Amino acid sequence: MKKFFPVYVRVPLIFFIAFGLMEFFVDSGDRPAFVKYPMISVFLFVFLFVLIAIEITLSAVNRVMNQLMTPEEKAKKEYEDSLSFSESTWYKNLMQKLTKTSPIEKESELLMDHDYDGIKELDNNLPPWWVYLFYICIIFGVIYVVRYDVLGADDQEMELKKEMAQAKIDVEEYLKTAPDLMDEKTVVLLTDGADLAAGKEIFTTNCIACHRADAGGQIGPNLTDNRWILGGGIKNLFHTITNGGRDGKGMIAWKGTLKPKEIQKVASYILSLQGSNPKDPKEPEGEIWVDDSAPKAETAAVKPTDTTQVKK
């Protein structure tokens, strides 16, 4: 066996098998186990040292044994070493245990009585590996029927449905706490002072050139009245800031410059300026926007007025 796996193959193979088992069974997170746990590195080093020491010892023992052999024993050993893999003694013994084949000299003892057109049948035993596999299949079948048909355990289809349902719940929970994955469907209005202060800073840095510092409108529309070109409310405003205004004449898309959380803050700040009545505001543009999701009692109590109506 040693000639098929020489020492320069045997030692690295055994070492890397031990190394792989350590990495598989030791939970080290995103770092290799031998890096996170120095004791594993020490163990692997000692293990490699022991392997090399064993090989050196065995080699010395073999040299001594060869010197003590008689010429006949040396000749026999050289003959066995010259045999191929399939001709080696241990391989033949292994195949005999797995197949239990009878030597060709004993075929006459295995012949069955019936003869058809000169064709005769041998009464060979089934190979043990086949018999054991057959028994294993029977045991597996019984366990399977009891588990899934009698006890009603989840089959693969049911497991998939449950995993998909749980994955959907996990994704929804993750989106609630992942601001960088926010969109106009999940955005909510912020009212906290710190968030509005951050939104004001973003507005001052990026928006006053078109909307003025008081949001009264300049190149861009007035953001303090109740009229909106592309719809009001946090969801519409978030969408407009993210994707830009009207093609060719509207605001640029800010999704490449601002993060979703920053857009949420600046949009919330803009909505907090509603009704602030800045000095010399720009003429109203767009249509009066009413939140359809608001309770009807509230929408009925506040009737929008047409600010462009001519007074008499």
Side-chain angles (χ1 to χ4, degrees):
M1 186 66 179
K2 290 183 179 180
K3 73 174 183 177
F4 302 115
F5 295 96
V7 63
Y8 56 83
V9 174
R10 192 163 57 246
V11 170
L13 179 62
I14 296 174
F15 175 77
F16 282 111
I17 289 175
F19 178 82
L21 291 175
M22 285 291 179
E23 292 293 336
F24 180 78
F25 287 107
V26 178
D27 184 9
S28 58
D30 57 348
R31 300 171 62 191
F34 73 93
V35 174
K36 187 172 183 180
Y37 303 108
M39 285 303 299
I40 293 181
S41 299
V42 175
F43 171 79
L44 291 174
F45 176 79
V46 173
F47 181 72
L48 179 60
F49 177 81
V50 171
L51 280 179
I52 296 174
I54 291 174
E55 291 294 339
I56 294 175
T57 303
L58 291 176
S59 177
V61 171
N62 287 334
R63 285 197 297 268
V64 173
M65 293 297 295
N66 286 334
Q67 293 177 359
L68 297 177
M69 285 183 179
T70 62
E72 293 78 9
E73 291 174 337
K74 289 182 179 180
K76 182 180 180 181
K77 185 176 183 300
E78 291 177 358
Y79 170 75
E80 291 179 352
D81 291 341
S82 65
L83 295 176
S84 63
F85 180 78
S86 58
E87 295 175 340
S88 59
T89 304
W90 75 269
Y91 177 80
K92 290 181 178 180
N93 292 335
L94 176 63
M95 295 305 297
Q96 176 62 29
K97 291 179 180 179
L98 291 176
T99 60
K100 285 191 176 180
T101 53
S102 299
I104 193 170
E105 297 83 7
K106 296 184 178 181
E107 276 195 357
S108 58
E109 301 176 5
L110 301 175
L111 284 174
M112 301 184 70
D113 295 335
H114 56 80
D115 185 334
Y116 181 79
D117 196 20
I119 299 175
K120 298 181 180 180
E121 184 179 356
L122 297 177
D123 187 17
N124 283 312
N125 294 324
L126 289 172
W129 67 265
W130 190 95
V131 175
Y132 298 148
L133 183 61
F134 180 69
Y135 291 153
I136 292 172
C137 290
I138 293 175
I139 296 172
F140 175 82
V142 172
I143 295 174
Y144 187 92
V145 170
V146 172
R147 176 174 173 79
Y148 293 102
D149 292 340
V150 178
L151 301 179
D154 293 339
D155 56 13
Q156 291 180 335
E157 182 178 2
M158 183 57 65
E159 288 178 353
L160 176 62
K161 290 180 179 179
K162 288 185 176 181
E163 289 177 0
M164 293 297 292
Q166 184 61 44
K168 184 177 180 180
I169 295 174
D170 294 341
V171 169
E172 291 176 353
E173 290 297 324
Y174 176 73
L175 291 177
K176 292 179 181 178
T177 57
D180 289 340
L181 296 179
M182 185 188 308
D183 58 16
E184 60 267 19
K185 295 180 180 179
T186 58
V187 66
V188 294
L189 181 66
L190 301 175
T191 57
D192 184 73
D195 292 328
L196 295 180
K200 180 180 180 179
E201 184 178 352
I202 297 171
F203 183 87
T204 302
T205 303
N206 300 283
C207 308
I208 61 175
C210 295
H211 296 283
R212 288 186 2 197
D214 58 6
Q218 191 165 314
I219 300 174
N222 179 8
L223 301 176
T224 65
D225 58 26
N226 61 348
R227 288 180 175 270
W228 297 90
I229 298 174
L230 297 175
I234 186 64
K235 297 184 184 299
N236 288 322
L237 192 54
F238 183 94
H239 176 81
T240 302
I241 297 173
T242 301
N243 300 291
R246 296 166 293 177
D247 293 338
K249 56 181 179 180
M251 179 180 62
I252 64 171
W254 288 92
K255 59 186 177 183
T257 305
L258 300 177
K259 296 180 179 180
K261 188 64 176 177
E262 295 174 326
I263 296 176
Q264 180 191 27
K265 291 179 180 179
V266 71
S268 298
Y269 170 72
I270 291 171
L271 292 175
S272 72
L273 299 176
Q274 291 288 282
S276 58
N277 298 320
K279 184 179 179 181
D280 298 327
K282 189 176 181 180
E283 290 297 322
E285 299 178 71
E287 300 177 353
I288 297 175
W289 182 83
V290 179
D291 188 359
D292 295 333
S293 63
K296 293 184 178 180
E298 296 181 6
T299 57
V302 181
K303 294 183 179 180
T305 57
D306 188 355
T307 57
T308 62
Q309 183 178 1
V310 179
K311 297 183 179 179
K312 296 181 180 180

